[in-house]
Amino acid sequence: MQKLTELRFMRNIGIMAHIDAGKTTTTERILFYTGKSHRIGEVDDGEAIMDWMEQEQERGITIQSAATTAYWKRSEAEGKTAPAVLERGYQINIIDTPGHVDFTAEVERSLRVLDGAVAILDAVKGVEPQTETVWRQAERYLVPCIAYVNKMDRIGADFFRVLSDIKTKLGMETAALQIPLGKESAFEGVIDLLAMEELRWEGGEGEIITRKPVAPERQDEAKRWREKLIDTLSAVSDAVTDKFLAGEAIPASLIRAEMRKAVLERKLLPVLAGASRRNMGVQPLIDAVVNYLPAPDEVKPAAGHHTKKEDNVPVPCDPSAVPLGLVFKIQNDREAGSLCYVRMYSGTIKPGTMLYNVGKRKRERANRILRMHSNKSEPLDELPAGDIGVIIGMKLAQTGDTVGSEGWPVLLDTMQFPEPVISVSLEPKTISDGDKLKEILELLSREDPTFTARENEETGQLIISGMGELHLDVLVTRILKDYGLQARAGNPQVTYRESIGKTVERTVRFSRVIAGKENAAALTLRLEPLKRGSGNHYSSAVKDSGRIPGALFEAAERGVRGAMASGILLGYPCIDVGVTVLGMEYSEITGTEFAYEACASMGFDEAAREAEPFLLEPVMAVDLFSPKEFVGEVISLVTQRGGQVLSMDSKAGSDQVKATAPMAKMFGFMTALRSVSQGRATFSMEFSHFERKADSGSTHSAR
């Protein structure tokens, strides 16, 4: 039986950053130096272990978050590191996340279950748009972080500018644990400010680290940055302040211990430097993960809600307690079926255990438990609290479900995913492929919470929706290649929303004879526009005196919510609409659930058409990086597409332009951008908000 790792020797970390900052490249080095892999897989060659999907290898990007586990043996006394090839050391569960904004759900669900994160930044570009997005996600889940400034060997690399960028854009106080030895092509290593040593990497794959005292010509700068580190730390640590004021030497062990406390409280961001592609800087980064990021029992207990007691309860990380875990990812495997990635927060589960799905109130069996290494796996004898593994055998589980024990029905906080904003139609080539396509779409929507599929009632077309052009392109390619189904995809279409412009009150009566029995209902509804972004709100002002059955109140709410989802003008979902039931007429003889549901739906439709309905279109936040000589053409291109430039930031060799633009006009933008910038400008785009469409001022104009 595999020996369990003590909680204090376990780390659950995520690697997060903007696309092309070097997440997967760094992860590949971590696997090599920890002895998990025997060769370094390169992203550029399509051989990265963590990018196992065919599309990831072809496109050179990470699409799905991949999990793996490595072991790192440390020797504090010698100040050295060595791979735990023969002896288990610290267990590090790593999730490598995508950097492209279209796959933000993969980052969201990873950060929800991780205890710490490594933010990788490009030494040339600094804090990029998606870095800000993932940082906000990490803040939402209170994930402690360390930062690693990668690509110090690239032209334009500037470690100190990145430190300033972090403070300005992320609002985080930085603490440089290292400073680089040279930069760009002259980058040769780092100065460790705790040990006051110069570190250089030798050997064919950077496996040998040579340590030397700081050279005399660099002593002054090293001392200045060490003092800056101690000054920053003293602002959050009384122990360091006391030593400093007493004029005593501050040992590296105290700095390490106090820095750990500051990181766990998210007061400081330790920053390291390196060039992963050249095998420089990765081993100290693994040490930093162990030194500064929390063990599972060092973070705040997970928040849970006891469904029977209707009370919030904390869930401490205790392997001997009642089992409780969160399903944070579903992946379909042709042979094994659904792979349910689970983070255990309490208790321990073993293969064959009967689990209770708290939200669905269903029992399921954990037939097998696996430890994943990218797309490979090894069986586990048990999965204890604090650990991450895969359960095979659960057919009903979905992303966000809580699994545990029927005797302790506690629901863990789930995840929030953004709404899909772009759609394409999908048509199977043969009628017989139609059912197969629906099955595939159901599997894909279980895997990806930001992907939806529905059938258009008027045209009969299958409409799939996602987060962006790349997202849908990847999914369509998976349907065609991975599942071998022949289908035609239509052109991308924007997913609009609908809302209303004024308050309307309306009384509606419904009466219909079905199977010889009269079904009748009468409702008075008030519809009012709500503040943009506040969502839909339903309430009833009718007092429940007991005369009207409670099932009829529920039926009226179902009718209203169903009508909201069906839209007013063009069938797009309604948002930011408040509905209040002001009156209900009831007869014991004719009042049925069907009548009240139908009456509420009809009443909403009629009232909404009188309430000045209009269309809302998705507006995207666009971030562009352009060489200085093309920035004028790039800005002109954005404004031609109805965009608004919000700000411009000058960086080394390039300018960053932040803008907003309607999504409908951003299709094909990449081709136009390459054309005006000789292929040198890049951009990223994410959903910002819904805004009233200029030409949808009334029912007539929208039609």
Side-chain angles (χ1 to χ4, degrees):
M1 183 175 171
Q2 186 179 319
K3 184 185 173 186
L4 288 177
T5 302
E6 287 183 47
L7 285 175
R8 66 193 178 101
F9 294 122
M10 191 184 290
R11 302 288 182 270
N12 293 312
I13 67 159
I15 312 288
M16 62 182 199
H18 188 91
I19 191 168
D20 203 32
K23 294 179 301 303
T24 303
T25 300
T26 303
T27 308
E28 293 294 321
R29 269 72 185 167
I30 292 173
L31 296 181
F32 177 74
Y33 297 130
T34 54
K36 186 68 183 178
S37 64
H38 303 291
R39 63 173 181 82
I40 296 175
E42 298 293 358
V43 176
D44 296 347
D45 303 334
E47 293 181 355
I49 295 165
M50 299 301 278
D51 284 351
W52 58 270
M53 282 177 66
E54 185 182 341
Q55 286 198 69
E56 291 179 318
Q57 293 165 358
E58 288 174 358
R59 297 171 190 260
I61 61 170
T62 301
I63 292 169
Q64 285 195 348
S65 54
T68 189
T69 300
Y71 296 91
W72 186 243
K73 181 69 179 171
R74 305 187 65 259
S75 173
E76 288 284 352
E78 296 176 12
K80 294 178 182 176
T81 56
V85 179
L86 301 174
E87 186 180 351
R88 289 164 65 91
Y90 282 83
Q91 176 183 322
I92 307 175
N93 296 325
I94 306 166
I95 297 184
D96 177 30
T97 63
H100 198 285
V101 70
D102 280 15
F103 309 108
T104 191
E106 291 288 331
V107 185
E108 181 82 21
R109 58 184 169 193
S110 300
L111 288 173
R112 167 65 183 83
V113 298
L114 293 171
D115 302 320
V118 177
I120 298 184
L121 298 114
D122 188 319
V124 181
K125 295 177 179 175
V127 176
E128 298 176 86
Q130 184 65 0
T131 315
E132 295 182 61
T133 303
V134 296
W135 186 262
R136 287 195 299 271
Q137 290 171 312
E139 276 187 327
R140 186 159 63 248
Y141 296 119
L142 303 175
V143 178
C145 299
I146 59 176
Y148 173 67
V149 180
N150 190 25
K151 302 190 178 184
M152 280 304 304
D153 58 328
R154 296 288 178 92
I155 294 171
D158 190 335
F159 178 79
F160 305 108
R161 191 187 68 240
V162 176
L163 292 181
S164 171
D165 222 17
I166 292 169
K167 195 167 183 178
T168 306
K169 293 184 177 175
L170 304 182
M172 193 71 183
E173 193 66 53
T174 58
L177 302 179
Q178 304 170 343
I179 56 171
L181 281 169
K183 63 178 182 177
E184 300 178 347
S185 59
F187 178 65
E188 53 182 287
V190 298
I191 294 175
D192 182 341
L193 297 175
L194 273 70
M196 287 301 277
E197 292 177 331
E198 293 184 358
L199 276 61
R200 289 177 175 80
W201 281 262
E202 296 174 1
E205 288 164 324
E207 65 274 24
I208 301 167
I209 304 175
T210 59
R211 294 172 175 267
K212 293 179 182 177
V214 179
E217 64 271 20
R218 289 186 279 269
Q219 281 279 356
D220 289 346
E221 187 184 18
K223 282 178 182 173
R224 182 165 57 86
W225 277 96
R226 182 183 165 88
E227 285 171 11
K228 202 168 184 178
L229 169 64
I230 290 168
D231 184 48
T232 304
L233 189 54
S234 66
V236 296
S237 165
D238 292 338
V240 172
T241 305
D242 293 344
K243 287 260 186 194
F244 182 75
L245 293 175
E248 297 176 29
I250 300 172
S253 57
L254 178 63
I255 295 175
R256 210 174 278 124
E258 293 303 303
M259 181 66 73
R260 181 180 183 79
K261 289 179 189 173
V263 172
L264 298 194
E265 292 170 6
R266 287 185 57 86
K267 291 179 179 177
L268 288 180
L269 181 69
V271 186
L272 300 95
S276 298
R277 190 78 169 79
R278 285 178 56 193
N279 309 320
M280 300 168 77
V282 177
Q283 295 97 323
L285 176 63
I286 311 173
D287 280 341
V289 165
V290 167
N291 282 334
Y292 308 118
L293 292 181
D297 58 348
E298 289 179 306
V299 294
K300 189 179 173 184
H305 180 75
H306 200 293
T307 56
K308 285 186 180 174
K309 294 180 181 176
E310 290 295 325
D311 192 21
N312 293 331
V313 293
V315 183
C317 186
D318 180 3
S320 62
V322 180
L324 198 68
L326 183 73
V327 178
F328 67 94
K329 178 180 165 86
I330 302 285
Q331 189 175 306
N332 186 60
D333 184 90
R334 287 187 180 181
E335 294 177 7
S338 286
L339 306 182
C340 298
Y341 284 73
V342 176
R343 160 70 195 263
M344 288 301 292
Y345 285 93
S346 173
T348 301
I349 56 171
K350 297 182 179 183
T353 304
M354 186 65 77
L355 293 173
Y356 180 63
N357 189 320
V358 182
K360 291 188 169 63
R361 298 180 182 179
K362 299 282 186 183
R363 294 177 186 171
E364 294 201 82
R365 191 177 295 279
N367 294 333
R368 288 193 288 154
I369 301 174
L370 307 175
R371 166 106 51 224
M372 295 304 291
H373 176 49
S374 188
N375 62 330
K376 296 180 174 62
S377 63
E378 59 180 280
L380 283 180
D381 296 320
E382 54 188 337
L383 188 65
D387 211 343
I388 291 172
V390 163
I391 296 176
I392 290 178
M394 296 197 295
K395 295 183 174 69
L396 301 173
Q398 290 179 295
T399 299
D401 281 0
T402 302
V403 292
S405 165
E406 208 166 341
W408 197 48
V410 173
L411 270 176
L412 292 163
D413 284 349
T414 188
M415 296 149 267
Q416 299 298 319
F417 296 109
E419 289 281 319
V421 292
I422 181 173
S423 304
V424 299
S425 62
L426 205 59
E427 187 182 330
K429 283 200 172 175
T430 63
I431 295 171
S432 60
D433 282 341
D435 291 337
K436 189 181 174 186
L437 178 58
K438 286 179 183 176
E439 285 176 22
I440 294 167
L441 293 177
E442 195 176 324
L443 286 173
L444 291 175
S445 59
R446 276 193 76 201
E447 283 188 15
D448 187 348
T450 58
F451 169 72
T452 60
R454 63 182 173 86
E455 192 170 316
N456 187 308
E457 291 178 7
E458 292 180 9
T459 64
Q461 279 184 312
L462 271 171
I463 307 294
I464 61 172
S465 306
M467 296 305 298
E469 286 183 271
L470 178 62
H471 186 204
L472 288 183
D473 185 30
V474 165
L475 288 164
V476 170
T477 306
R478 282 189 68 189
I479 292 165
L480 301 180
K481 281 191 172 183
D482 297 1
Y483 293 97
L485 187 86
Q486 295 300 308
R488 288 184 292 270
N491 291 325
Q493 300 290 325
V494 173
T495 301
Y496 294 96
R497 295 288 184 272
E498 299 185 34
S499 196
I500 58 173
K502 71 172 186 179
T503 300
V504 167
E505 286 185 18
R506 188 173 181 87
T507 299
V508 183
R509 297 180 187 280
F510 175 86
S511 179
R512 185 167 296 175
V513 177
I514 298 173
K517 176 174 167 42
E518 186 181 358
N519 295 262
L523 292 168
T524 302
L525 301 176
R526 181 175 69 219
L527 271 63
E528 56 191 322
L530 301 179
K531 185 181 174 186
R532 193 68 57 239
S534 57
N536 293 327
H537 181 71
Y538 175 90
S539 63
S540 175
V542 179
K543 296 283 185 262
D544 186 359
S545 61
R547 194 180 74 84
I548 304 174
L552 300 187
F553 287 96
E554 292 172 13
E557 182 172 354
R558 276 200 309 273
V560 168
R561 293 199 183 278
M564 284 176 168
S566 302
I568 308 163
L569 303 169
L570 301 172
Y572 294 109
C574 297
I575 61 169
D576 306 331
V577 176
V579 179
T580 306
V581 178
L582 300 175
M584 289 178 79
E585 292 180 21
Y586 170 65
S587 164
E588 290 182 10
I589 300 168
T590 58
T592 61
E593 286 187 46
F594 165 74
Y596 279 89
E597 189 171 340
C599 184
S601 178
M602 192 170 72
F604 177 87
D605 285 343
E606 290 181 14
R609 286 195 178 94
E610 292 177 14
E612 297 179 358
F614 55 83
L615 280 179
L616 292 158
E617 65 178 341
V619 174
M620 311 302 284
V622 187
D623 284 274
L624 304 106
F625 282 92
S626 168
K628 294 183 184 296
E629 60 266 35
F630 299 115
V631 76
E633 289 89 338
V634 168
I635 289 173
S636 174
L637 191 64
V638 172
T639 53
Q640 283 169 22
R641 291 175 178 249
Q644 275 188 310
V645 175
L646 304 177
S647 66
M648 209 170 98
D649 187 15
S650 191
K651 302 207 170 209
S654 68
D655 283 341
Q656 181 186 7
V657 178
K658 285 181 178 282
T660 58
M663 184 170 194
K665 297 185 179 177
M666 293 301 286
F667 293 128
F669 183 72
M670 178 55 86
T671 306
L673 184 66
R674 284 174 178 160
S675 176
V676 301
S677 65
Q678 297 178 7
R680 292 166 63 195
T682 59
F683 87 106
S684 69
M685 184 169 71
E686 67 177 308
F687 171 72
S688 173
H689 61 279
F690 281 103
E691 197 172 273
R692 186 166 178 162
K693 199 168 184 291
D695 56 353
S696 68
S698 66
T699 306
H700 176 75
S701 62
R703 286 181 185 279

